[in-house]
Amino acid sequence: MAEITAETHQSQPRQPSPGRMPRNWSEIGSRLVPGLAVVTAMIFGAVFMVAAATDWAAARAAFSADGVGGFISEVRPGIGRAGIAYGALFEGAAGLGYVNPSSIRAETFYVTLLPLGERSLVFIPRNLIDTIVRTIPFILAGLAVALGFKCGLFNIGAEGQLYAGGLLAALIGFHPAFRGLPSLIHIPLAVAAGIAGGLLWGAIPGFLKARTGAHEVINTIMMNYIAIRLADWLIKSREPVIMLDTTASVPRTPFVAQSAMYPYLANTSLHFGLFVALAAVWLVWWFLYRTTLGFEIRTVGANPSAARYAGMSVSRSVVLAMALSGGLAGLAGAGEVLGVQHNLSPGFFAGVGFDSIAIALLAKTNPFAVVPAALLWGGLINGAGLMQVRADLSIDVVKIIQAFIVMFIAADQIVRALWRIRARRRGEEVVFARGWS
Amino acid sequence: MAEPAATPAAEPVLEVIGITKRFPGVLANNDIHFTLTRGQIHCMLGENGAGKTTLMNIIYGLYQPDAGEIRMNGRPVMIHSANDAIRLGIGMVHQHFMLVPQLTVTENIILGNEVTQGPFLDRRKAAAQILALSERFGLEIDPEARVGELPVGARQRVEIVKALYRQASILILDEPTAVLTPQEAEDLFKVMHALVEQGVSIVFITHKLKEVLAVADQITVLRNGEVAGVVAPEEASEASLAALMVGRAVILQVEKAAAHPGEPVLSVEELRVTDERGHTAVNGISFEARAGEILGVAGVQGNGQTELVRAITGLMHPLSGRILIAGQDVSTATPRQITELGVAHIPEDREADGLVKPYPVVDNIILNSYYRPPFARGIVMNEAEAVKQATEVVERFDVRTPSIYAEVGTLSGGNKQKIIAGREFSRPIKLLVAAQPTRGLDVGSIEFIHKQIVAQRDQGVAVLLVSAELDEIMALSDRIAVMYRGQIIDVLPAAQADRETLGLLMAGVHPAQD
Ligand SMILES: Nc1ncnc2c1ncn2[C@@H]1O[C@H](COP(=O)(O)OP(=O)(O)OP(=O)(O)O)[C@@H](O)[C@H]1O
Ligand SMILES: [Mg+2]
């Protein structure tokens, strides 16, 4: 990889260049690494699709018969399919598509942006709205993990904290004791319960870390198991019935009362949770960068011994960061129950908590950057369905792309090498969380 | 400006021609020319931030220059990475250690250059090679020891052996003596001479002018990223070097009036402290530091000074005994409570304890006062006030930084220390605990920090000065306590302390007892 650094050295004229204003590609590129990781992952995903869609035996035969031309003609359909797949992925995610309007289902509302003969450039608002709805929990849970990273903590427990929050929010939402409350009280109550659940679920590993030094990775994983099993039992148990809706054909809790549901924007599925999430982004940023508690958390994350020297309580910051991180995840869980599903079923959050780790990494733990990162995730997941239909590809292709993104973020040297961005200088590397010692 | 006074026979092994390196807001190296000849010890001198480390990092391939050329044995070479440098026979011992503490000496040395037998490491062969090297150059090391448990001097030897193991013929030593005891430094010089005799060429960076005059064959002085002069040691004196570095005459002597000690501010009674591994480090110490006096604590490093300071500042709790500050028992107080009593602390390890490197200068300046007015009201911080304070401190303490928003990690060592001193001295204090306050600083900065310490004393602050530099202890202290094996074996008035007496005491010999 030594040659990566070559270009600036050799191609520059050997003179002092005092005011060389735009710093070189390395400096600009360093900031673009997350974006480039996504682009690279998409390219890799495309290669994967082409590879999967091509009949390699036929391609080899064509190559020996007609040379490169024959080979290309065998591979071309695969490339076309990858194109269709990404087109569909984008259409499903952002609502922008280049399609024959007659192929759009009759009940779907769309706007023709540019009539171009048989196919047109159309905008289907519903797709974008669905993407945003899917993005909401990712924003909150991604923020949760990012906040932990700021304190040098690796909160793998967002999944469990989502359940803890979702369970309590659902309970307050459907329990007869709370029926008849006005929305103005019922919603905040359910939300507060959700936050409290996540808070508790995050604070416990935080407390264990502060008190005994037990590593939070281990304990948040344990807490995940406990939460998932607990939800399973609470929701499924028939003897006694605890949170099960006995009238339902599948195991789930009863529906929450109308008064506990998040309001919707107009007649869409876009719910109040979006504002909650965006407010949380700002609040987390403000908390981290404008308050003494946030300053403490960041200092503990950056250099715990300097934090101790400066009179900060490392254990207090650890507990606080884990609790707030859990609270955010709990809020995400509450939002899904109150805004989307209106009940809770055992496997409801499967994976959201883990995806949020990827989102926090993609955002480089920056609270504002969590929004686009979460939107990307929401888009990929929401667009996957249409992609599957149009290109006849498994939905898992999206999982592969996501995996590539995570890999390129974690091993950003690969991205730097591919895009000729000079290696990090010593000390520049981002430390998200510390190791075991 | 003197011409390079190379002897005619000397052949240049390394030539740096017109190197320029710019960082955002700083011209770290500006058209630098520099020649190293075979078997030479070439001292590189210069103020903090003059660009010494940057130049060495360029030679070692860690930074790419914006302009200029490097030649080895007369031929231009491209050094794009440390691997390139190593292949060309350049070795570097960095200003900050780069070893893996969890690994053994052998493992550290062969890291990246493993001797293998089939797929396996051939440890025994490697260890034998390392022993042979260390014997040849008189570098005492134990190949099986774990690096984390070695004293600094030994770690440094490991770094040198590591470079030699990779067959370095040019060795760059970036401020190796900053962390060494005088004895360890002497040993290092012996090693350097042994190396030079066998044809190795050495670039040696230091801020200690005495050392420069003692070991250098040639001296290059940098100032503000430019070569300020190339001189031969015979033609130089401490004062002339200092003046060349700083660009003005430097007063190497500390000027201070007689002390007027007042009430005791710090009293330590029968203090016992254990170190991190549970060994007794401070073993029953009692002393007092009074308002308006500087109490120096002399001693070879590792005799309990670190733990004493950590106990006084609340970073460690004593096993037994009492610590009183301004009449209050602080034996079990937190660092915050102690700071609030009016205690300032310049920590021994500024990188680890004193600064948050990824933070901008401004956040480091409010690092221990961020929570109180005017920097915060309740939990809400007031950025404008922090900026005001930082601007003031940077100005008053002449911190060379592109801005108060620059990351502290990118500043040179001396400027980092000035930030700590500026932070600690810009609030009202009663007690100053200063551990190695001028380690790694240039003469100008030392002069400045010393003046500040004396000024604090004159304002009635009690100063506890812990330093491994005998010169510093003798220049500043009003009374000197000597620590040996966790105990204070004597306290003398500064007037009665000379190098010899102190040296004996530091070695545990108490003249009065025989
Ligand atoms: N990676 C970096 N990014 C930005 N600025 C840097 C970087 N490294 C060094 N500098 C700046 O370049 C200048 C020269 O720094 P350098 O470390 O070379 O000084 P030095 O002579 O070694 O000082 P010291 O004696 O304190 O070690 C300083 O102003 C420093 O702030
Ligand atoms: Mg340096």
Side-chain angles (χ1 to χ4, degrees):
Chain A
M1 255 185 247
E3 63 274 19
I4 303 162
T5 59
E7 88 272 43
T8 40
H9 194 53
Q10 284 169 342
S11 57
Q12 302 286 328
R14 295 192 167 280
Q15 299 160 4
S17 41
R20 203 167 52 90
M21 234 327 272
R23 312 244 67 94
N24 47 38
W25 167 236
S26 303
E27 279 170 43
I28 304 162
S30 294
R31 291 161 189 263
L32 297 180
V33 164
L36 292 173
V38 172
V39 173
T40 314
M42 300 290 274
I43 294 171
F44 271 54
V47 170
F48 208 83
M49 285 190 255
V50 175
T54 303
D55 179 349
W56 289 103
R60 195 181 306 139
F63 181 67
S64 25
D66 309 323
V68 179
F71 177 77
I72 288 177
S73 66
E74 276 298 322
V75 175
R76 185 168 293 147
I79 297 176
R81 194 122 132 240
I84 292 172
Y86 275 144
L89 186 62
F90 189 72
E91 185 185 327
L96 277 176
Y98 176 56
V99 293
N100 186 343
S102 63
S103 72
I104 299 174
R105 268 189 290 164
E107 70 272 19
T108 310
F109 171 77
Y110 70 92
V111 189
T112 306
L113 297 176
L114 247 183
L116 297 166
E118 194 179 316
R119 298 176 114 203
S120 302
L121 197 60
V122 297
F123 175 57
I124 308 160
R126 185 162 166 193
N127 292 2
L128 184 61
I129 287 172
D130 284 349
T131 291
I132 294 173
V133 171
R134 286 203 185 248
T135 300
I136 294 169
F138 287 134
I139 294 177
L140 287 167
L143 270 182
V145 180
L147 184 84
F149 278 137
K150 287 286 185 208
C151 195
L153 299 166
F154 196 176
N155 178 11
I156 303 195
E159 188 95 0
Q161 293 146 13
L162 277 156
Y163 276 104
L167 277 172
L168 280 187
L171 185 67
I172 301 287
F174 75 69
H175 200 279
F178 299 97
R179 284 197 183 262
L181 285 175
S183 280
L184 228 52
I185 296 174
H186 206 173
I187 294 175
L189 205 61
V191 167
I195 296 175
L199 206 81
L200 178 73
W201 231 250
I204 291 171
F207 183 76
L208 289 174
K209 167 127 189 172
R211 261 299 147 88
T212 67
H215 203 281
E216 75 277 6
V217 165
I218 307 265
N219 285 321
T220 49
I221 291 175
M222 294 304 158
M223 294 300 283
N224 279 345
Y225 284 124
I226 298 174
I228 292 167
R229 295 290 161 233
L230 189 67
D232 220 44
W233 174 66
L234 288 172
I235 298 172
K236 283 187 183 162
S237 169
R238 287 181 177 277
E239 252 175 52
V241 169
I242 305 171
M243 289 179 77
L244 181 72
D245 182 350
T246 44
T247 65
S249 56
V250 289
R252 61 162 175 77
T253 68
F255 278 92
V256 300
Q258 193 82 39
S259 57
M261 293 179 187
Y262 276 174
Y264 289 95
L265 188 82
N267 264 333
T268 67
S269 58
L270 189 59
H271 57 86
F272 179 67
L274 178 64
F275 299 100
V276 174
L278 294 179
V281 168
W282 185 83
L283 208 65
V284 166
W285 173 84
W286 179 82
F287 173 77
L288 283 172
Y289 292 93
R290 290 289 180 269
T291 70
T292 56
L293 298 173
F295 188 71
E296 285 168 6
I297 284 177
R298 287 188 298 122
T299 308
V300 167
N303 183 347
S305 55
R308 219 168 284 125
Y309 160 87
M312 302 171 184
S313 163
V314 173
S315 33
R316 189 179 79 169
S317 288
V318 165
V319 176
L320 183 65
M322 280 303 294
L324 292 178
S325 177
L328 284 163
L331 179 59
E336 290 307 281
V337 169
L338 305 177
V340 180
Q341 189 82 354
H342 300 147
N343 64 47
L344 187 61
S345 46
F348 183 52
F349 294 118
V352 174
F354 296 114
D355 282 351
S356 62
I357 298 170
I359 290 163
L361 290 173
L362 184 57
K364 298 237 159 180
T365 76
N366 176 329
F368 291 120
V370 163
V371 176
L375 191 62
L376 175 74
W377 234 251
L380 283 173
I381 289 176
N382 195 41
L386 192 62
M387 181 192 77
Q388 183 178 25
V389 175
R390 287 264 180 80
D392 189 21
L393 279 167
S394 161
I395 241 171
D396 290 335
V397 168
V398 160
K399 293 245 164 70
I400 291 171
I401 294 171
Q402 289 175 335
F404 274 129
I405 294 175
V406 173
M407 187 176 100
F408 289 140
I409 292 291
D412 71 347
Q413 290 298 350
I414 302 173
V415 178
R416 286 170 183 271
L418 289 171
W419 296 88
R420 299 285 185 273
I421 299 167
R422 194 190 296 165
R424 291 176 291 213
R425 65 177 153 81
R426 279 175 298 127
E428 193 190 313
E429 55 277 270
V430 187
V431 179
F432 290 114
R434 273 177 304 279
W436 303 94
S437 53
Chain B
M1 209 180 288
E3 274 298 296
T7 44
E11 50 174 315
V13 285
L14 176 77
E15 288 164 278
V16 164
I17 300 164
I19 289 279
T20 295
K21 175 74 185 176
R22 178 182 293 278
F23 290 116
V26 211
L27 189 54
N29 285 169
N30 187 11
D31 192 25
I32 294 207
H33 292 260
F34 163 74
T35 305
L36 178 70
T37 58
R38 183 173 307 286
Q40 183 183 54
I41 298 181
H42 198 132
C43 276
M44 179 79 51
L45 259 179
E47 281 185 285
N48 295 119
K52 306 178 293 292
T53 299
T54 303
L55 181 64
M56 294 307 130
N57 282 342
I58 289 172
I59 295 173
Y60 196 58
L62 296 175
Y63 293 149
Q64 298 304 307
D66 296 330
E69 185 175 86
I70 296 172
R71 286 193 199 157
M72 286 187 70
N73 302 314
R75 267 197 232 116
V77 287
M78 292 291 165
I79 308 175
H80 296 311
S81 68
N83 282 335
D84 289 357
I86 291 165
R87 223 172 296 126
L88 290 164
I90 302 175
M92 178 156 173
V93 176
H94 295 270
Q95 200 164 353
H96 306 290
F97 288 117
M98 299 284 180
L99 299 172
V100 185
Q102 290 88 350
L103 298 184
T104 67
V105 168
T106 305
E107 287 163 343
N108 262 290
I109 290 173
I110 62 177
L111 200 66
N113 206 353
E114 293 86 355
V115 191
T116 50
Q117 193 178 43
F120 302 106
L121 275 181
D122 191 345
R123 264 167 216 272
R124 204 169 312 151
K125 191 165 156 210
Q129 288 178 358
I130 290 166
L131 266 185
L133 266 180
S134 74
E135 266 161 37
R136 188 165 139 214
F137 297 105
L139 283 151
E140 238 176 88
I141 52 171
D142 169 9
E144 298 310 322
R146 212 162 281 282
V147 162
E149 289 164 12
L150 294 178
V152 271
R155 284 192 212 190
Q156 205 153 57
R157 291 196 289 275
V158 175
E159 296 248 28
I160 295 173
V161 171
K162 180 167 181 147
L164 296 174
Y165 181 79
R166 296 167 166 191
Q167 304 186 331
S169 60
I170 294 174
L171 193 58
I172 300 170
L173 303 174
D174 194 354
E175 288 190 44
T177 55
V179 291
L180 298 187
T181 63
Q183 186 52 48
E184 285 173 325
E186 281 304 319
D187 293 343
L188 174 67
F189 298 149
K190 274 187 210 132
V191 169
M192 284 165 57
H193 285 300
L195 288 168
V196 164
E197 253 155 50
Q198 309 213 18
V200 176
S201 316
I202 298 178
V203 182
F204 174 56
I205 300 180
T206 181
H207 288 295
K208 299 179 190 174
L209 304 174
K210 282 203 181 75
E211 294 178 357
V212 174
L213 294 173
V215 302
D217 297 317
Q218 183 77 287
I219 304 165
T220 294
V221 180
L222 297 189
R223 185 164 75 224
N224 283 335
E226 295 179 12
V227 176
V230 180
V231 287
E234 306 81 58
E235 306 160 4
S237 67
E238 283 190 47
S240 73
L241 289 176
L244 197 52
M245 271 170 68
V246 183
R248 62 172 165 89
V250 177
I251 304 149
L252 296 166
Q253 237 65 47
V254 181
E255 290 167 340
K256 66 180 175 67
H260 302 287
E263 291 295 299
V265 175
L266 168 71
S267 322
V268 171
E269 296 167 7
E270 281 304 314
L271 187 71
R272 276 166 201 279
V273 189
T274 52
D275 66 14
E276 256 132 31
R277 272 180 265 151
H279 303 305
T280 306
V282 175
N283 193 4
I285 279 187
S286 303
F287 67 86
E288 275 181 351
R290 297 168 170 279
E293 75 161 352
I294 299 176
L295 175 64
V297 177
V300 176
Q301 250 178 353
N303 275 285
Q305 299 97 316
T306 305
E307 289 76 12
L308 173 65
V309 167
R310 292 181 81 84
I312 292 173
T313 52
L315 292 168
M316 269 183 176
H317 286 312
L319 200 63
S320 65
R322 289 210 305 166
I323 302 167
L324 296 162
I325 293 173
Q328 289 202 40
D329 190 337
V330 296
S331 312
T332 56
T334 63
R336 166 86 26 106
Q337 289 164 332
I338 291 171
T339 311
E340 299 210 315
L341 281 174
V343 177
H345 177 198
I346 299 181
E348 175 180 341
D349 190 339
R350 60 171 163 258
E351 305 267 321
D353 294 328
L355 296 167
V356 182
K357 286 200 273 179
Y359 276 5
V361 171
V362 44
D363 285 354
N364 274 288
I365 282 185
I366 57 161
L367 192 64
N368 50 18
S369 51
Y370 66 92
Y371 62 94
R372 59 176 164 203
F375 306 119
R377 189 166 297 142
I379 64 159
V380 183
M381 292 173 75
N382 185 340
E383 214 194 342
E385 285 294 335
V387 166
K388 207 172 98 192
Q389 172 81 355
T391 314
E392 220 177 278
V393 168
V394 163
E395 166 106 23
R396 196 150 65 86
F397 284 76
D398 187 28
V399 181
R400 311 273 171 88
T401 171
S403 93
I404 60 164
Y405 300 106
E407 261 180 46
V408 157
T410 68
L411 299 187
S412 75
N415 286 303
K416 286 180 184 150
Q417 190 73 337
K418 283 182 179 176
I419 288 176
I420 296 178
R423 175 178 74 211
E424 299 300 302
F425 291 170
S426 44
R427 60 195 151 92
I429 54 170
K430 292 197 194 102
L431 171 67
L432 166 63
V433 181
Q436 322 292 352
T438 59
R439 176 181 282 172
L441 297 205
D442 65 50
V443 281
S445 305
I446 291 176
E447 179 193 21
F448 179 80
I449 298 274
H450 283 178
K451 268 190 194 157
Q452 294 291 330
I453 291 176
V454 172
Q456 292 290 334
R457 181 203 74 164
D458 292 343
Q459 284 168 29
V461 171
V463 181
L464 185 71
L465 170 74
V466 179
S467 174
E469 296 289 327
L470 260 189
D471 291 330
E472 177 165 82
I473 290 278
M474 295 201 302
L476 287 179
S477 310
D478 299 311
R479 287 190 301 142
I480 300 172
V482 182
M483 268 188 94
Y484 179 72
R485 299 215 172 144
Q487 295 183 316
I488 289 184
I489 67 169
D490 205 357
V491 184
L492 355 155
Q496 288 173 25
D498 53 59
R499 279 190 152 265
E500 240 156 78
T501 326
L502 288 176
L504 282 174
L505 284 170
M506 282 163 66
V509 184
H510 202 306
Q513 276 171 359
D514 337 278

